[in-house]
Amino acid sequence: MQIRDLPYTDPGRPDTRSGPRLMLWLGRNQLAGQVKATAWGVVHMAAVAALPVALGIAVQAVVDRSGARLALAGGLMVLLGCLVALGDTMLHRTAVTNWITAAARVQQLLARKTAELGATLTRQVAAGEVVAVSTGDVEKIGWFVEALSRFGSALFTTLAVCVALVVYQPALGAVIALAVPALVLAVLPLLPPATKRADEQRDKAGYATELASDTVAGLRVLRGIGGEELFLDRYRRASQEVRRAAVRSARMWALIAAVQVLLPGLLLIAVVGYGVGLVQDGRVGVGELVTVYGLVTFLLFPLRVFEEIAMAYSFSRPSAVRAARVLSLGRTARAGEGEGPGEVPSGDLYDPESGLSAPAGRLTAVVCGDPDAAGRMADRLGGHAAAGAEGAPSALLGGVALDGLPLETARTAVLVQDKDPVLLSGTLAELLDVPASGAVPAEAALAAAQCDDVLTALAQACPDASGDPMRTRITERGRSLSGGQRQRLALARSLVTDPQVLVLDEPTSAVDSHTEARIADGLRALRQDRTTVVFSSSPLLLDRADRVVFVQEGRAVAVGTHRGLLRDDAAYRAVVTREPDPVVRPAGELDAELTELGESEQIEESA
């Protein structure tokens, strides 16, 4: 895999059972790149290791006054220098390619998971956690993948050098062969506390990222209530916690680095002292001592690589655990997983857990006193299981379980718009350019969602668009728009898709009553003969629904028309009218109020 070939056509199905298994899966998918990088690493390190041999030959040639051997040593140094340059260049090229392609694979997997889960992702994991995984954690995983090939080449070269030293000079080689493993193992007791401190730093950084994201998202509200400084103080404290955790982690890694410098230095002193005695006894030549000294000096290089791989694993393992946790999220286990688009079922929509039924081709309103319960029910109707509810029964469309369908098929059948839909940055035309049946043009969807004033405002806000609101750019998350404007544009986007079943969670909570009544009429007309489910407690929407389902404590307890339930069900009346207690009222009084309500709505609409 080359960088120019990115993105992957198919990044594959990762092993998300654990963080180490995820990294092993990444390594298997990059086996060719790892072998190539390891081979070039061996060329580089072997050439560096052979330089002391050439230097020893040159020194001994000078001692023996041999010009031929001196020339041979010079030519060998030139050859080894070329191999060092070539090996280092190609090692860096292949290792960085492994890093980038591994990070790109994980990022593609995260993007695919985000697209698969949609709005339900942030209900299962914090938004700050997703951001941290897709940025910092991806880089750390890529770092370990990149360091793995250099570790392999360093390990191979170290073993080869130790064997060569034992063969070349047994007296010194045996000491070095025993000392090198001890140097490597000396830092192992320091790794667990270093890893723990790195984990603490990462957790605190994730919390700070989440806090910053929430603060930015709610900045307009914070300014309205004068709470900017309160949240900024919280972020400052979180940032200082991150700084202190980073310093504690750096101190431990600095201690590991100091040990890696101190112990090899002591080994060098021991080798030189022992070697000088052997030279004085005539058992070792000067050139041989220089060669052994040079090889011991070379061994400091792979020891650094061993330290790096330990550090990379310590940082990447918790990162891989978090990435695996995000990548393992999903709806319930789907029987159609991995299959292509299948036949889209049709019929009534039914939720076995609550008993909610939405007849095909009709507008069903759902009244639920608990907004959180309404959101979870809306997700279930779209085939998404709530976090920790994997064993819950799936919603059925025409008797077919939605979580048993391939994702593309399920989303073609049912579209869920939650109560806080997100508008992506781009032009209005790009916002409405979504997968759709083609039966509903953008103009009709905008008209049904009562977006005329929004279009006028967009056209005036951007002179560069030549008065065309469809060419006007919308800022990230629609921050330049009011809450009601964002809500109506999101509704228009959902209407353009024209799904067989449309589930809306509080689609008019941020608009005035006059606009809400017109939206209800437009929605009813545009979705004629299509199944529509609206979670709302607005009397204007409820009065225009074909049927109303009242949900209490997660169960559908009453079904009828809005006026009928308002007259006959005290608990329903308490939720819709916000009465403190469900008081039973005379039927004549209720009939008079309903008649008055209908007359007032007619007057308002004619105005």
Side-chain angles (χ1 to χ4, degrees):
M1 185 70 185
Q2 299 297 320
I3 296 177
R4 63 174 174 267
D5 299 324
L6 294 174
Y8 291 96
T9 305
D10 179 13
R13 295 288 172 181
D15 186 347
T16 58
R17 289 175 290 177
S18 67
R21 286 181 183 272
L22 176 61
M23 291 193 290
L24 180 62
W25 177 83
L26 287 172
R28 287 201 307 267
N29 279 274
Q30 290 189 318
L31 190 58
Q34 292 290 346
V35 170
K36 186 185 297 184
T38 302
W40 283 116
V42 169
V43 170
H44 171 237
M45 291 191 180
V48 173
L51 281 173
V53 177
L55 180 61
I57 294 174
V59 170
Q60 195 63 43
V62 171
V63 173
D64 298 340
R65 299 181 180 275
S66 174
R69 278 191 293 164
L70 185 60
L72 175 63
L76 184 58
M77 286 183 181
V78 172
L79 175 61
L80 292 174
C82 293
L83 289 176
V84 168
L86 176 64
D88 191 22
T89 301
M90 296 306 298
L91 170 62
H92 181 75
R93 180 185 180 90
T94 53
V96 170
T97 298
N98 289 336
W99 183 339
I100 294 175
T101 51
R105 186 186 295 274
V106 177
Q107 285 178 327
Q108 275 190 253
L109 291 170
L110 290 169
R112 185 174 68 183
K113 180 60 63 176
T114 302
E116 175 186 329
L117 295 180
T120 62
L121 175 63
T122 52
R123 295 195 183 103
Q124 301 184 59
V125 62
E129 182 77 2
V130 177
V131 173
V133 169
S134 59
T135 53
D137 285 336
V138 165
E139 288 297 314
K140 290 181 177 66
I141 294 171
W143 175 28
F144 175 75
V145 171
E146 180 266 343
L148 195 59
S149 56
R150 289 188 287 109
F151 167 72
S153 58
L155 180 61
F156 177 84
T157 308
T158 299
L159 294 175
V161 168
C162 289
V163 171
L165 281 173
V166 173
V167 174
Y168 176 68
Q169 185 49 251
L172 291 172
V175 175
I176 296 169
L178 293 174
V180 168
L183 295 180
V184 174
L185 297 175
V187 298
L188 290 183
L190 300 176
L191 290 179
T195 302
K196 181 179 179 181
R197 293 188 182 188
D199 289 347
E200 291 176 356
Q201 177 191 352
R202 167 58 179 74
D203 291 340
K204 292 181 183 297
Y207 171 73
T209 301
E210 182 179 347
L211 185 61
S213 176
D214 291 343
T215 302
V216 172
L219 193 57
R220 177 178 294 182
V221 177
L222 292 176
R223 285 175 176 170
I225 63 175
E228 308 104 299
E229 286 301 322
L230 174 64
F231 275 80
L232 285 175
D233 287 341
R234 290 182 181 177
Y235 181 74
R236 290 188 187 102
R237 289 195 295 270
S239 178
Q240 289 302 311
E241 289 290 331
V242 175
R243 181 189 63 80
R244 284 190 286 269
V247 170
R248 292 183 69 248
S249 178
R251 285 173 178 168
M252 183 57 68
W253 289 110
L255 176 60
I256 293 175
V259 170
Q260 290 287 355
V261 171
L262 175 63
L263 295 183
L266 295 177
L267 175 62
L268 277 176
I269 295 173
V271 167
V272 170
Y274 183 53
V276 168
L278 295 178
V279 170
Q280 291 176 343
D281 294 340
R283 298 168 56 188
V284 174
V286 176
E288 293 175 328
L289 178 60
V290 171
T291 299
V292 172
Y293 175 81
L295 289 173
V296 173
T297 305
F298 159 77
L299 288 176
L300 301 182
F301 177 34
L303 286 176
R304 285 288 185 182
V305 177
F306 297 155
E307 175 194 346
E308 181 190 8
I309 194 64
M311 183 184 297
Y313 181 76
S314 298
F315 277 95
S316 63
R317 183 189 56 78
S319 295
V321 169
R322 285 182 286 268
R325 183 169 62 246
V326 174
L327 293 174
S328 65
L329 298 176
R331 302 190 293 166
T332 57
R334 298 186 293 276
E337 182 74 47
E339 300 175 2
E343 182 179 353
V344 179
S346 60
D348 297 347
L349 181 64
Y350 178 67
D351 177 26
E353 184 168 336
S354 64
L356 169 66
S357 178
R362 302 180 68 184
L363 173 59
T364 300
V366 182
V367 176
C368 184
D370 182 358
D372 293 333
R376 292 192 295 269
M377 192 180 303
D379 289 339
R380 285 202 308 272
L381 292 177
H384 297 281
E390 289 76 5
S394 169
L396 306 176
L397 180 60
V400 178
L402 287 175
D403 63 1
L405 295 173
L407 181 61
E408 185 176 347
T409 304
R411 285 195 169 166
T412 302
V414 183
L415 174 67
V416 179
Q417 176 183 303
D418 67 7
K419 67 183 64 178
D420 187 23
V422 175
L423 301 184
L424 302 179
S425 60
T427 64
L428 180 57
E430 291 171 340
L431 175 70
L432 300 178
D433 184 16
V434 293
S437 67
V440 179
E443 294 76 12
L446 290 168
Q450 300 300 309
C451 294
D452 293 343
D453 62 318
V454 184
L455 298 179
T456 301
L458 289 176
Q460 295 174 349
C462 186
D464 297 339
S466 304
D468 184 4
M470 301 301 289
R471 295 172 54 192
T472 303
R473 293 196 65 83
I474 297 173
T475 57
E476 180 190 2
R477 299 180 67 91
R479 299 189 194 282
S480 58
L481 304 172
S482 68
Q485 291 173 330
R486 287 198 301 269
Q487 200 169 56
R488 282 178 282 165
L489 287 180
L491 176 60
R493 179 178 59 187
S494 298
L495 293 174
V496 164
T497 62
D498 188 36
Q500 184 169 304
V501 179
L502 177 61
V503 180
L504 303 171
D505 187 5
E506 295 289 353
T508 59
S509 59
V511 300
D512 60 81
S513 59
H514 178 62
T515 304
E516 186 176 30
R518 297 173 63 184
I519 289 175
D521 291 333
L523 177 64
R524 183 183 178 89
L526 191 65
R527 294 287 299 173
Q528 189 73 28
D529 300 326
R530 290 290 206 182
T531 307
T532 308
V533 181
V534 180
F535 287 83
S536 177
S537 59
S538 166
L540 294 173
L541 276 174
L542 298 174
D543 197 44
R544 286 161 174 78
D546 295 317
R547 68 200 301 265
V548 177
V549 180
F550 179 43
V551 176
Q552 254 189 333
E553 297 181 356
R555 296 294 301 175
V557 296
V559 180
T561 65
H562 168 58
R563 299 191 178 214
L565 290 174
L566 196 63
R567 180 177 53 248
D568 302 332
D569 194 312
Y572 174 84
R573 184 167 58 252
V575 172
V576 173
T577 62
R578 274 69 169 179
E579 291 180 0
D581 296 305
V583 180
V584 178
R585 303 169 66 185
E589 181 181 339
L590 286 171
D591 288 338
E593 287 190 9
L594 291 173
T595 302
E596 183 180 349
L597 174 62
E599 292 175 353
S600 65
E601 288 179 6
Q602 291 176 1
I603 294 173
E604 186 181 45
E605 291 175 12
S606 63

